[in-house]
Amino acid sequence: MEYNVYTEMALVEAILFMESEPRDENTLARIAGISRDVLEVSLEKLAEKYEVEHSGLSLAHISGGWALIVKKDCWDYLKEHYGKKENRLSRAALETLTLVAYSQPITRAEIEAIRGVYSADTMIRLLLERSLIREVGKKDVPGKPIQYGTTKEFLKY
């Protein structure tokens, strides 16, 4: 198969369609078997294609990677059927999530001290289940408490 800018662009477009998560330039270039320079030209051409065509998709740079996403005007019509159920977070969960986002990496004890609560276990468990936070390591102090940070899902949300 002879490659040119349009077949390479089509290959990158197909990869973005197949991937469920945003992918960075190095990963996209490796999967496509093309150089970073060729990838950048392909991404530029794809962005132009989706801007001028009457398409329901758009090329977006999200969470440090590239992804095909539904354009906002289309999403407004489709979100009821395809969107995740918009389970709102409680005030306590939002406070906890805000602390993690602002102070990461942060331990459970630090969250409890800042919030002035006896236990933040329930809020941490809820945020972990919703993939908004994750364990990012252990603090180098006695007891080695788990430290939490935000996820790509948090950035998308």
Side-chain angles (χ1 to χ4, degrees), residues 1-19 27-35 38-39 42-43 46 49 68:
M1 181 164 149
E2 185 177 316
Y3 286 99
N4 62 44
V5 71
Y6 295 105
T7 55
E8 290 160 342
M9 182 182 78
L11 182 60
V12 171
E13 181 179 38
I15 293 167
L16 291 170
F17 177 77
M18 299 294 293
E19 291 291 334
T27 302
L28 290 172
R30 182 179 44 76
I31 293 170
I34 58 178
S35 70
V38 172
L39 175 72
S42 296
L43 289 171
L46 277 173
K49 172 185 175 182
L68 290 176

Side-chain angles (χ1 to χ4, degrees), residues 107-109 137-147:
T107 66
R108 179 185 49 78
K138 296 195 181 250
K139 192 166 186 172
D140 194 20
V141 296
K144 303 264 190 224
I146 296 169
Q147 293 179 309

Side-chain angles (χ1 to χ4, degrees), residues 15-16 19-25 27-28 31 60-69 152-153 155-156:
I15 293 167
L16 291 170
E19 291 291 334
S20 59
E21 296 290 325
R23 298 295 175 207
D24 63 51
E25 288 90 350
T27 302
L28 290 172
I31 293 170
H61 194 260
I62 303 172
S63 304
W66 292 94
L68 290 176
I69 62 170
K152 286 186 178 182
E153 191 64 32
L155 293 173
K156 286 193 268 184

